[in-house]
Amino acid sequence: MEGRGTEGRSSPAQLGNPPSLPGPGAVGYTLPPARFFNEDILFCIDVGPETMVEMKVAAGPNGRPFTRLESIKQAILLFINAKLTINPDHRFAFAALTKTFSWLRKEFSSEVDSATAALQGISVDSSSSHADLTQLLRVAAHEAKKSRAQSRIFRVILLYCRSSVSPQYKLPTTQKLFTLDVVYLHDKPGPDNCPQKVYDTLVEALEHLLSHPQQRCVQDDFDVPKTLTKRSPPAESAPVDENAIVSIQ
């Protein structure tokens, strides 16, 4: 068919303005090619009673607000799909945080259907009065050794929802084998809530287990930690959201 050949086509240099060349004495910059590292990612989801708090900014098809747990499930599935689009060799496993750590699905898998099934099996523990991360960190250190033997990065993503319960933890005595990210969903500060104290405790743990440098932005450009009580109000008047979301990386 006429017009399908290469003759007569414009080369990239002919389209638009020609690329600018470095000036006299300037050194050209090239970005070296790099492959995507395979990751084993363990999601640990807080299933304490505060995960059932409704998110006023997010509503389902029937108009009922999503709970924090429902929002977490949706966010995880979006994250997994995005990660597998970038690299289909990433793998995922799931755990729950009640008073301590417990597995939801121990086998790491790249199957989205398997992740969906694991998330659907989550149940809330209304009796969780405290949270101990020690077993989570020990398990992560153990599993990370297996991942490192396969030249894979091991990463823990903790989703924490308690506004008045600071997590307890003892760091593993082994060398740093894995990295930790936390997403913290909490209520506003009040007589029964101390999200700033909880936030500070999480930051202490993160200082020892920051995420892998290739997974983080330049830290000089990342202004954390912030004091939650000193955040400036938005310029435009809007309904106040009682369910703030803070991402710690």
Side-chain angles (χ1 to χ4, degrees), residues 143-158:
E143 294 294 328
K145 294 179 182 178
K146 302 178 186 178
S147 299
R148 286 168 65 95
Q150 303 173 47
S151 299
R152 302 177 68 90
I153 294 173
F154 193 90
R155 180 179 179 187
V156 177
I157 299 180
L158 170 65

Side-chain angles (χ1 to χ4, degrees), residues 20 36 42 93 95 112 116 138 166 216 244 246:
S20 58
F36 291 111
L42 170 59
V112 176
T116 302
R138 288 175 178 170
S166 296
R216 290 184 282 138
V246 178

